[in-house]
Amino acid sequence: MSRDLHTIELRYLAALIAVHRDASFSRAAERLGYTQSAVSQQIARLERGIGHQLVERPGGSRAVSLTPAGKVLLRHAEAIVARLTSAAADLDALDDGTAGTLRIGCYQSVGVRILPRVMREFLAQFPGVNVQLVENEDDGELLAQVERGELDLSFVVAPLPPGPFDSEELLEDPYVVAVRDDSPLGRGTGTVTPKDLARIPLISYAQIREAHLIENRLGHPALAGQMVFRSNDNGTILGLAAEGVGAAVIPWLSVDPHRDGLRVLQISGVSRRIVGIAWHRDRYQIPAAHAFIDLAHAAANEEEIHMRAALGNGAPRSGTKQ
């Protein structure tokens, strides 16, 4: 079958992506700033160039959908658009040098305990760089933005999903249990095991990658049945624990060491959370981005000192590369 791929324009691929996302020619047209007929013509020209019907058009108010051929092309279209967006971001960075904008992805625990120290030094060294922070507790979403060129760097938790990423490890963050200070759990030892948590109401995170759900990180999937509350706000999680609603199972960086009414217990026999920082391996990075990574290492080392003081000499070492 003849396919004239040279006639395919980027706007045709963008139209296919928009039609898929909105399941409607009219809504796709609104998203792209075209008329509905223009989007229909772009899809028709794309279909002629590919030599396949790409969109099912049921007519009326029913949602449109992609054909099998449309779904195949969609994957390539998204990759092409993401790569071109990344190329545009590279050119902007090249023009900016050490000025301009550095876009950082971050989640709450790092935002509270590590990022402020990084920013203190970074802004002193690079006053001409505008740092834009994007916050999301799901580092999978942040990594997707890195891949699309919407973020320059992002704090992450290993292991990373497949993708065009390079990363460096900053800190090993132990999991702990925060309980009301009069709780009998771990009394006298300051340490618990996952088995000690059996039949105890638990509180932990909500919208994070499945690999990072506490029950999976602790290696006891059955703990999911004991979750009485999930939240992505550390203050909410710790507040519920302080009121005795349940035991909060969280990483150490999520603990507020100054909060009253809580006792923090170490969990033995559980691997620690690896906090890192990631970037797109194929993208040009301005010097300010490299400096940010170096400062993140320094801030992680400072946090390690505080961690060792709070949890003892068994706390981890930081700064190795992934």
Side-chain angles (χ1 to χ4, degrees):
M1 181 179 292
S2 175
R3 296 181 177 89
D4 187 5
L5 301 183
H6 294 91
T7 65
I8 296 175
E9 299 183 23
L10 181 61
R11 60 198 176 109
Y12 299 169
L13 299 179
L16 181 69
I17 294 170
V19 168
H20 167 68
R21 290 178 178 174
D22 295 316
S24 163
F25 280 95
S26 60
R27 288 194 295 271
E30 292 176 5
R31 177 192 292 270
L32 297 172
Y34 295 129
T35 64
Q36 180 175 340
S37 62
V39 172
S40 297
Q41 291 172 13
Q42 289 167 4
I43 295 296
R45 289 168 185 162
L46 181 59
E47 289 177 326
R48 287 196 295 272
I50 293 295
H52 277 283
Q53 181 181 349
L54 303 174
V55 178
E56 295 283 3
R57 302 166 175 82
S61 60
R62 289 177 292 176
V64 301
S65 60
L66 299 189
T67 65
K71 293 175 182 178
V72 169
L73 183 60
L74 175 69
R75 294 196 300 270
H76 296 284
E78 289 176 330
I80 291 168
V81 171
R83 196 58 185 258
L84 288 174
T85 302
S86 180
D90 283 349
L91 292 171
D92 288 342
L94 185 62
D95 291 339
D96 289 338
T98 57
T101 299
L102 186 64
R103 301 157 303 172
I104 305 295
C106 191
Y107 43 90
Q108 191 176 168
S109 59
V110 168
V112 172
R113 302 286 283 276
I114 292 180
L115 183 66
R117 298 172 190 161
V118 178
M119 291 302 301
R120 177 189 62 203
E121 299 298 329
F122 183 84
L123 293 179
Q125 295 181 28
F126 296 90
V129 174
N130 173 37
V131 177
Q132 293 182 354
L133 183 66
V134 175
E135 297 172 291
N136 195 320
E137 291 308 301
D138 185 349
D139 68 340
E141 293 292 332
L142 296 174
L143 283 167
Q145 291 183 270
V146 171
E147 184 170 7
R148 294 194 298 266
E150 297 169 3
L151 290 176
D152 302 297
L153 301 168
S154 182
F155 291 98
V156 293
V157 176
L160 271 61
F165 310 118
D166 278 338
S167 64
E168 291 187 11
E169 179 182 321
L170 299 176
L171 185 70
E172 292 184 1
D173 185 16
Y175 288 96
V176 298
V177 179
V179 295
R180 184 171 168 147
D181 54 11
D182 61 357
S183 170
L185 185 65
R187 180 70 68 182
T189 65
T191 302
V192 297
T193 68
K195 289 184 178 180
D196 294 328
L197 300 177
R199 296 182 296 279
I200 292 177
L202 301 178
I203 307 164
S204 196
Y205 292 123
Q207 297 173 345
I208 55 177
R209 277 196 282 148
E210 185 175 355
H212 299 327
L213 290 172
I214 292 299
E215 55 268 30
N216 295 333
R217 294 308 294 257
L218 268 58
H220 287 258
L223 292 177
Q226 297 169 222
M227 293 291 173
V228 295
F229 201 87
R230 293 185 187 266
S231 171
N232 279 332
D233 182 80
N234 291 338
T236 298
I237 292 173
L238 294 173
L240 290 165
E243 292 297 328
V245 174
V249 187
I250 50 178
W252 165 252
L253 287 182
S254 299
V255 174
D256 179 357
H258 306 294
R259 187 174 190 115
D260 294 329
L262 283 175
R263 189 158 46 90
V264 178
L265 310 170
Q266 297 190 63
I267 307 177
S268 63
V270 174
S271 60
R272 298 171 171 119
R273 181 177 78 156
I274 300 176
V275 175
I277 191 164
W279 59 92
H280 197 300
R281 70 167 65 100
D282 298 325
R283 283 200 56 209
Y284 171 81
Q285 295 283 1
I286 63 174
H290 297 289
F292 190 97
I293 294 171
D294 291 340
L295 291 171
H297 277 290
N301 288 334
E302 285 187 42
E303 181 57 38
E304 181 181 18
I305 295 173
H306 293 287
M307 186 189 303
R308 286 178 175 273
L311 299 179
N313 292 330
R317 299 193 62 79
S318 64
T320 42
K321 291 189 177 183
Q322 294 183 49

PDB file of all heavy atoms in Angstrom, residues 246-275:
ATOM      1  N   GLY A 246      -5.061   6.147  63.471  1.00  0.00           N
ATOM      2  CA  GLY A 246      -4.306   5.006  62.977  1.00  0.00           C
ATOM      3  C   GLY A 246      -2.825   5.289  63.076  1.00  0.00           C
ATOM      4  O   GLY A 246      -2.402   6.367  63.527  1.00  0.00           O
ATOM      5  N   ALA A 247      -2.021   4.321  62.651  1.00  0.00           N
ATOM      6  CA  ALA A 247      -0.571   4.483  62.609  1.00  0.00           C
ATOM      7  C   ALA A 247      -0.188   4.938  61.206  1.00  0.00           C
ATOM      8  O   ALA A 247      -0.578   4.320  60.215  1.00  0.00           O
ATOM      9  CB  ALA A 247       0.119   3.166  62.950  1.00  0.00           C
ATOM     10  N   ALA A 248       0.559   6.029  61.114  1.00  0.00           N
ATOM     11  CA  ALA A 248       0.966   6.573  59.822  1.00  0.00           C
ATOM     12  C   ALA A 248       2.268   5.913  59.385  1.00  0.00           C
ATOM     13  O   ALA A 248       3.287   6.012  60.073  1.00  0.00           O
ATOM     14  CB  ALA A 248       1.148   8.085  59.912  1.00  0.00           C
ATOM     15  N   VAL A 249       2.227   5.240  58.246  1.00  0.00           N
ATOM     16  CA  VAL A 249       3.418   4.594  57.692  1.00  0.00           C
ATOM     17  C   VAL A 249       3.909   5.459  56.532  1.00  0.00           C
ATOM     18  O   VAL A 249       3.279   5.529  55.483  1.00  0.00           O
ATOM     19  CB  VAL A 249       3.119   3.163  57.211  1.00  0.00           C
ATOM     20  CG1 VAL A 249       4.412   2.461  56.806  1.00  0.00           C
ATOM     21  CG2 VAL A 249       2.412   2.371  58.295  1.00  0.00           C
ATOM     22  N   ILE A 250       5.043   6.127  56.745  1.00  0.00           N
ATOM     23  CA  ILE A 250       5.539   7.130  55.804  1.00  0.00           C
ATOM     24  C   ILE A 250       7.067   7.141  55.834  1.00  0.00           C
ATOM     25  O   ILE A 250       7.678   6.595  56.747  1.00  0.00           O
ATOM     26  CB  ILE A 250       5.017   8.542  56.174  1.00  0.00           C
ATOM     27  CG1 ILE A 250       5.279   8.835  57.666  1.00  0.00           C
ATOM     28  CG2 ILE A 250       3.550   8.699  55.847  1.00  0.00           C
ATOM     29  CD1 ILE A 250       4.854  10.215  58.116  1.00  0.00           C
ATOM     30  N   PRO A 251       7.696   7.766  54.849  1.00  0.00           N
ATOM     31  CA  PRO A 251       9.147   7.938  54.904  1.00  0.00           C
ATOM     32  C   PRO A 251       9.533   9.002  55.933  1.00  0.00           C
ATOM     33  O   PRO A 251       8.729   9.879  56.275  1.00  0.00           O
ATOM     34  CB  PRO A 251       9.521   8.393  53.488  1.00  0.00           C
ATOM     35  CG  PRO A 251       8.318   8.128  52.658  1.00  0.00           C
ATOM     36  CD  PRO A 251       7.143   8.224  53.562  1.00  0.00           C
ATOM     37  N   TRP A 252      10.774   8.941  56.377  1.00  0.00           N
ATOM     38  CA  TRP A 252      11.247   9.881  57.396  1.00  0.00           C
ATOM     39  C   TRP A 252      11.116  11.337  56.943  1.00  0.00           C
ATOM     40  O   TRP A 252      10.762  12.210  57.741  1.00  0.00           O
ATOM     41  CB  TRP A 252      12.709   9.581  57.747  1.00  0.00           C
ATOM     42  CG  TRP A 252      13.372  10.683  58.497  1.00  0.00           C
ATOM     43  CD1 TRP A 252      14.322  11.542  58.045  1.00  0.00           C
ATOM     44  CD2 TRP A 252      13.112  11.078  59.853  1.00  0.00           C
ATOM     45  NE1 TRP A 252      14.669  12.442  59.020  1.00  0.00           N
ATOM     46  CE2 TRP A 252      13.942  12.178  60.146  1.00  0.00           C
ATOM     47  CE3 TRP A 252      12.254  10.601  60.848  1.00  0.00           C
ATOM     48  CZ2 TRP A 252      13.942  12.802  61.388  1.00  0.00           C
ATOM     49  CZ3 TRP A 252      12.256  11.231  62.090  1.00  0.00           C
ATOM     50  CH2 TRP A 252      13.087  12.318  62.344  1.00  0.00           C
ATOM     51  N   LEU A 253      11.393  11.625  55.673  1.00  0.00           N
ATOM     52  CA  LEU A 253      11.329  13.010  55.213  1.00  0.00           C
ATOM     53  C   LEU A 253       9.924  13.597  55.336  1.00  0.00           C
ATOM     54  O   LEU A 253       9.764  14.811  55.338  1.00  0.00           O
ATOM     55  CB  LEU A 253      11.793  13.120  53.756  1.00  0.00           C
ATOM     56  CG  LEU A 253      13.286  12.978  53.473  1.00  0.00           C
ATOM     57  CD1 LEU A 253      13.560  13.170  51.989  1.00  0.00           C
ATOM     58  CD2 LEU A 253      14.106  13.961  54.295  1.00  0.00           C
ATOM     59  N   SER A 254       8.915  12.746  55.435  1.00  0.00           N
ATOM     60  CA  SER A 254       7.538  13.227  55.555  1.00  0.00           C
ATOM     61  C   SER A 254       7.159  13.574  56.988  1.00  0.00           C
ATOM     62  O   SER A 254       6.081  14.112  57.236  1.00  0.00           O
ATOM     63  CB  SER A 254       6.564  12.171  55.017  1.00  0.00           C
ATOM     64  OG  SER A 254       6.807  11.917  53.659  1.00  0.00           O
ATOM     65  N   VAL A 255       8.020  13.257  57.943  1.00  0.00           N
ATOM     66  CA  VAL A 255       7.737  13.511  59.358  1.00  0.00           C
ATOM     67  C   VAL A 255       8.070  14.947  59.709  1.00  0.00           C
ATOM     68  O   VAL A 255       9.112  15.472  59.305  1.00  0.00           O
ATOM     69  CB  VAL A 255       8.549  12.544  60.250  1.00  0.00           C
ATOM     70  CG1 VAL A 255       8.379  12.900  61.724  1.00  0.00           C
ATOM     71  CG2 VAL A 255       8.125  11.111  59.998  1.00  0.00           C
ATOM     72  N   ASP A 256       7.188  15.583  60.452  1.00  0.00           N
ATOM     73  CA  ASP A 256       7.473  16.899  61.019  1.00  0.00           C
ATOM     74  C   ASP A 256       8.090  16.677  62.401  1.00  0.00           C
ATOM     75  O   ASP A 256       7.396  16.305  63.350  1.00  0.00           O
ATOM     76  CB  ASP A 256       6.176  17.709  61.147  1.00  0.00           C
ATOM     77  CG  ASP A 256       6.403  19.091  61.761  1.00  0.00           C
ATOM     78  OD1 ASP A 256       7.552  19.390  62.131  1.00  0.00           O
ATOM     79  OD2 ASP A 256       5.422  19.844  61.874  1.00  0.00           O
ATOM     80  N   PRO A 257       9.413  16.873  62.552  1.00  0.00           N
ATOM     81  CA  PRO A 257      10.065  16.549  63.818  1.00  0.00           C
ATOM     82  C   PRO A 257       9.647  17.454  64.969  1.00  0.00           C
ATOM     83  O   PRO A 257       9.943  17.154  66.131  1.00  0.00           O
ATOM     84  CB  PRO A 257      11.553  16.725  63.493  1.00  0.00           C
ATOM     85  CG  PRO A 257      11.585  17.681  62.344  1.00  0.00           C
ATOM     86  CD  PRO A 257      10.345  17.412  61.547  1.00  0.00           C
ATOM     87  N   HIS A 258       8.960  18.531  64.666  1.00  0.00           N
ATOM     88  CA  HIS A 258       8.556  19.481  65.716  1.00  0.00           C
ATOM     89  C   HIS A 258       7.096  19.311  66.133  1.00  0.00           C
ATOM     90  O   HIS A 258       6.607  20.054  66.980  1.00  0.00           O
ATOM     91  CB  HIS A 258       8.778  20.917  65.231  1.00  0.00           C
ATOM     92  CG  HIS A 258      10.173  21.181  64.755  1.00  0.00           C
ATOM     93  ND1 HIS A 258      11.263  21.149  65.596  1.00  0.00           N
ATOM     94  CD2 HIS A 258      10.645  21.456  63.508  1.00  0.00           C
ATOM     95  CE1 HIS A 258      12.357  21.415  64.890  1.00  0.00           C
ATOM     96  NE2 HIS A 258      12.008  21.608  63.637  1.00  0.00           N
ATOM     97  N   ARG A 259       6.403  18.333  65.555  1.00  0.00           N
ATOM     98  CA  ARG A 259       4.993  18.151  65.870  1.00  0.00           C
ATOM     99  C   ARG A 259       4.827  17.449  67.205  1.00  0.00           C
ATOM    100  O   ARG A 259       5.458  16.425  67.481  1.00  0.00           O
ATOM    101  CB  ARG A 259       4.299  17.349  64.772  1.00  0.00           C
ATOM    102  CG  ARG A 259       2.789  17.299  64.986  1.00  0.00           C
ATOM    103  CD  ARG A 259       2.061  16.634  63.846  1.00  0.00           C
ATOM    104  NE  ARG A 259       0.632  16.843  64.031  1.00  0.00           N
ATOM    105  CZ  ARG A 259      -0.135  17.549  63.233  1.00  0.00           C
ATOM    106  NH1 ARG A 259       0.377  18.131  62.178  1.00  0.00           N
ATOM    107  NH2 ARG A 259      -1.425  17.688  63.472  1.00  0.00           N
ATOM    108  N   ASP A 260       3.960  18.002  68.053  1.00  0.00           N
ATOM    109  CA  ASP A 260       3.681  17.406  69.359  1.00  0.00           C
ATOM    110  C   ASP A 260       2.673  16.267  69.221  1.00  0.00           C
ATOM    111  O   ASP A 260       1.894  16.201  68.267  1.00  0.00           O
ATOM    112  CB  ASP A 260       3.116  18.464  70.316  1.00  0.00           C
ATOM    113  CG  ASP A 260       4.134  19.554  70.655  1.00  0.00           C
ATOM    114  OD1 ASP A 260       5.334  19.227  70.672  1.00  0.00           O
ATOM    115  OD2 ASP A 260       3.717  20.706  70.885  1.00  0.00           O
ATOM    116  N   GLY A 261       2.701  15.381  70.196  1.00  0.00           N
ATOM    117  CA  GLY A 261       1.701  14.329  70.277  1.00  0.00           C
ATOM    118  C   GLY A 261       2.012  13.098  69.472  1.00  0.00           C
ATOM    119  O   GLY A 261       1.168  12.204  69.364  1.00  0.00           O
ATOM    120  N   LEU A 262       3.205  13.026  68.890  1.00  0.00           N
ATOM    121  CA  LEU A 262       3.570  11.886  68.054  1.00  0.00           C
ATOM    122  C   LEU A 262       4.840  11.210  68.559  1.00  0.00           C
ATOM    123  O   LEU A 262       5.729  11.849  69.126  1.00  0.00           O
ATOM    124  CB  LEU A 262       3.808  12.328  66.603  1.00  0.00           C
ATOM    125  CG  LEU A 262       2.591  12.614  65.728  1.00  0.00           C
ATOM    126  CD1 LEU A 262       3.046  13.142  64.377  1.00  0.00           C
ATOM    127  CD2 LEU A 262       1.733  11.371  65.549  1.00  0.00           C
ATOM    128  N   ARG A 263       4.903   9.910  68.335  1.00  0.00           N
ATOM    129  CA  ARG A 263       6.125   9.137  68.563  1.00  0.00           C
ATOM    130  C   ARG A 263       6.475   8.462  67.247  1.00  0.00           C
ATOM    131  O   ARG A 263       5.597   7.915  66.577  1.00  0.00           O
ATOM    132  CB  ARG A 263       5.884   8.112  69.677  1.00  0.00           C
ATOM    133  CG  ARG A 263       7.128   7.384  70.153  1.00  0.00           C
ATOM    134  CD  ARG A 263       6.892   6.834  71.579  1.00  0.00           C
ATOM    135  NE  ARG A 263       5.600   6.164  71.681  1.00  0.00           N
ATOM    136  CZ  ARG A 263       5.415   4.861  71.440  1.00  0.00           C
ATOM    137  NH1 ARG A 263       6.437   4.098  71.087  1.00  0.00           N
ATOM    138  NH2 ARG A 263       4.226   4.311  71.567  1.00  0.00           N
ATOM    139  N   VAL A 264       7.747   8.504  66.870  1.00  0.00           N
ATOM    140  CA  VAL A 264       8.186   7.962  65.584  1.00  0.00           C
ATOM    141  C   VAL A 264       8.983   6.688  65.828  1.00  0.00           C
ATOM    142  O   VAL A 264       9.951   6.678  66.598  1.00  0.00           O
ATOM    143  CB  VAL A 264       9.039   8.982  64.805  1.00  0.00           C
ATOM    144  CG1 VAL A 264       9.525   8.387  63.495  1.00  0.00           C
ATOM    145  CG2 VAL A 264       8.235  10.253  64.538  1.00  0.00           C
ATOM    146  N   LEU A 265       8.575   5.606  65.152  1.00  0.00           N
ATOM    147  CA  LEU A 265       9.203   4.296  65.314  1.00  0.00           C
ATOM    148  C   LEU A 265       9.897   3.900  64.022  1.00  0.00           C
ATOM    149  O   LEU A 265       9.366   4.112  62.926  1.00  0.00           O
ATOM    150  CB  LEU A 265       8.144   3.235  65.644  1.00  0.00           C
ATOM    151  CG  LEU A 265       7.175   3.564  66.790  1.00  0.00           C
ATOM    152  CD1 LEU A 265       6.050   2.544  66.822  1.00  0.00           C
ATOM    153  CD2 LEU A 265       7.914   3.596  68.115  1.00  0.00           C
ATOM    154  N   GLN A 266      11.081   3.330  64.136  1.00  0.00           N
ATOM    155  CA  GLN A 266      11.754   2.802  62.966  1.00  0.00           C
ATOM    156  C   GLN A 266      11.156   1.442  62.603  1.00  0.00           C
ATOM    157  O   GLN A 266      10.670   0.717  63.462  1.00  0.00           O
ATOM    158  CB  GLN A 266      13.249   2.657  63.232  1.00  0.00           C
ATOM    159  CG  GLN A 266      13.951   3.982  63.509  1.00  0.00           C
ATOM    160  CD  GLN A 266      15.456   3.834  63.534  1.00  0.00           C
ATOM    161  OE1 GLN A 266      16.074   3.487  62.538  1.00  0.00           O
ATOM    162  NE2 GLN A 266      16.045   4.088  64.688  1.00  0.00           N
ATOM    163  N   ILE A 267      11.196   1.116  61.309  1.00  0.00           N
ATOM    164  CA  ILE A 267      10.725  -0.185  60.823  1.00  0.00           C
ATOM    165  C   ILE A 267      11.946  -1.000  60.419  1.00  0.00           C
ATOM    166  O   ILE A 267      12.716  -0.581  59.540  1.00  0.00           O
ATOM    167  CB  ILE A 267       9.783  -0.043  59.621  1.00  0.00           C
ATOM    168  CG1 ILE A 267       8.636   0.922  59.927  1.00  0.00           C
ATOM    169  CG2 ILE A 267       9.227  -1.400  59.215  1.00  0.00           C
ATOM    170  CD1 ILE A 267       7.707   1.163  58.748  1.00  0.00           C
ATOM    171  N   SER A 268      12.142  -2.128  61.037  1.00  0.00           N
ATOM    172  CA  SER A 268      13.294  -2.959  60.725  1.00  0.00           C
ATOM    173  C   SER A 268      12.972  -3.914  59.581  1.00  0.00           C
ATOM    174  O   SER A 268      11.822  -4.282  59.357  1.00  0.00           O
ATOM    175  CB  SER A 268      13.717  -3.762  61.956  1.00  0.00           C
ATOM    176  OG  SER A 268      12.688  -4.650  62.352  1.00  0.00           O
ATOM    177  N   GLY A 269      14.012  -4.293  58.848  1.00  0.00           N
ATOM    178  CA  GLY A 269      13.853  -5.273  57.786  1.00  0.00           C
ATOM    179  C   GLY A 269      13.184  -4.754  56.536  1.00  0.00           C
ATOM    180  O   GLY A 269      12.687  -5.544  55.728  1.00  0.00           O
ATOM    181  N   VAL A 270      13.157  -3.431  56.335  1.00  0.00           N
ATOM    182  CA  VAL A 270      12.513  -2.833  55.160  1.00  0.00           C
ATOM    183  C   VAL A 270      13.522  -1.936  54.451  1.00  0.00           C
ATOM    184  O   VAL A 270      14.174  -1.109  55.096  1.00  0.00           O
ATOM    185  CB  VAL A 270      11.272  -2.003  55.569  1.00  0.00           C
ATOM    186  CG1 VAL A 270      10.709  -1.264  54.370  1.00  0.00           C
ATOM    187  CG2 VAL A 270      10.219  -2.899  56.188  1.00  0.00           C
ATOM    188  N   SER A 271      13.670  -2.106  53.152  1.00  0.00           N
ATOM    189  CA  SER A 271      14.601  -1.264  52.402  1.00  0.00           C
ATOM    190  C   SER A 271      14.114   0.172  52.396  1.00  0.00           C
ATOM    191  O   SER A 271      12.916   0.444  52.405  1.00  0.00           O
ATOM    192  CB  SER A 271      14.762  -1.778  50.972  1.00  0.00           C
ATOM    193  OG  SER A 271      13.520  -1.762  50.299  1.00  0.00           O
ATOM    194  N   ARG A 272      15.054   1.076  52.359  1.00  0.00           N
ATOM    195  CA  ARG A 272      14.723   2.498  52.440  1.00  0.00           C
ATOM    196  C   ARG A 272      14.308   3.064  51.079  1.00  0.00           C
ATOM    197  O   ARG A 272      14.696   2.549  50.036  1.00  0.00           O
ATOM    198  CB  ARG A 272      15.935   3.268  52.981  1.00  0.00           C
ATOM    199  CG  ARG A 272      16.341   2.837  54.385  1.00  0.00           C
ATOM    200  CD  ARG A 272      17.673   3.466  54.760  1.00  0.00           C
ATOM    201  NE  ARG A 272      17.961   3.244  56.169  1.00  0.00           N
ATOM    202  CZ  ARG A 272      19.009   2.571  56.614  1.00  0.00           C
ATOM    203  NH1 ARG A 272      19.856   2.031  55.764  1.00  0.00           N
ATOM    204  NH2 ARG A 272      19.211   2.441  57.909  1.00  0.00           N
ATOM    205  N   ARG A 273      13.553   4.129  51.137  1.00  0.00           N
ATOM    206  CA  ARG A 273      13.162   4.835  49.915  1.00  0.00           C
ATOM    207  C   ARG A 273      14.368   5.595  49.378  1.00  0.00           C
ATOM    208  O   ARG A 273      15.058   6.288  50.127  1.00  0.00           O
ATOM    209  CB  ARG A 273      12.025   5.808  50.241  1.00  0.00           C
ATOM    210  CG  ARG A 273      11.515   6.589  49.046  1.00  0.00           C
ATOM    211  CD  ARG A 273      10.341   7.482  49.403  1.00  0.00           C
ATOM    212  NE  ARG A 273      10.745   8.705  50.077  1.00  0.00           N
ATOM    213  CZ  ARG A 273      10.022   9.819  50.095  1.00  0.00           C
ATOM    214  NH1 ARG A 273       8.839   9.854  49.500  1.00  0.00           N
ATOM    215  NH2 ARG A 273      10.448  10.884  50.740  1.00  0.00           N
ATOM    216  N   ILE A 274      14.631   5.475  48.071  1.00  0.00           N
ATOM    217  CA  ILE A 274      15.762   6.169  47.464  1.00  0.00           C
ATOM    218  C   ILE A 274      15.250   7.429  46.779  1.00  0.00           C
ATOM    219  O   ILE A 274      14.526   7.363  45.788  1.00  0.00           O
ATOM    220  CB  ILE A 274      16.496   5.274  46.456  1.00  0.00           C
ATOM    221  CG1 ILE A 274      17.034   4.023  47.156  1.00  0.00           C
ATOM    222  CG2 ILE A 274      17.645   6.041  45.803  1.00  0.00           C
ATOM    223  CD1 ILE A 274      17.682   3.033  46.224  1.00  0.00           C
ATOM    224  N   VAL A 275      15.617   8.574  47.326  1.00  0.00           N
ATOM    225  CA  VAL A 275      15.241   9.866  46.764  1.00  0.00           C
ATOM    226  C   VAL A 275      16.328  10.297  45.794  1.00  0.00           C
ATOM    227  O   VAL A 275      17.521  10.244  46.104  1.00  0.00           O
ATOM    228  CB  VAL A 275      15.084  10.918  47.880  1.00  0.00           C
ATOM    229  CG1 VAL A 275      14.821  12.299  47.285  1.00  0.00           C
ATOM    230  CG2 VAL A 275      13.969  10.511  48.828  1.00  0.00           C
TER     231      VAL A 275
END
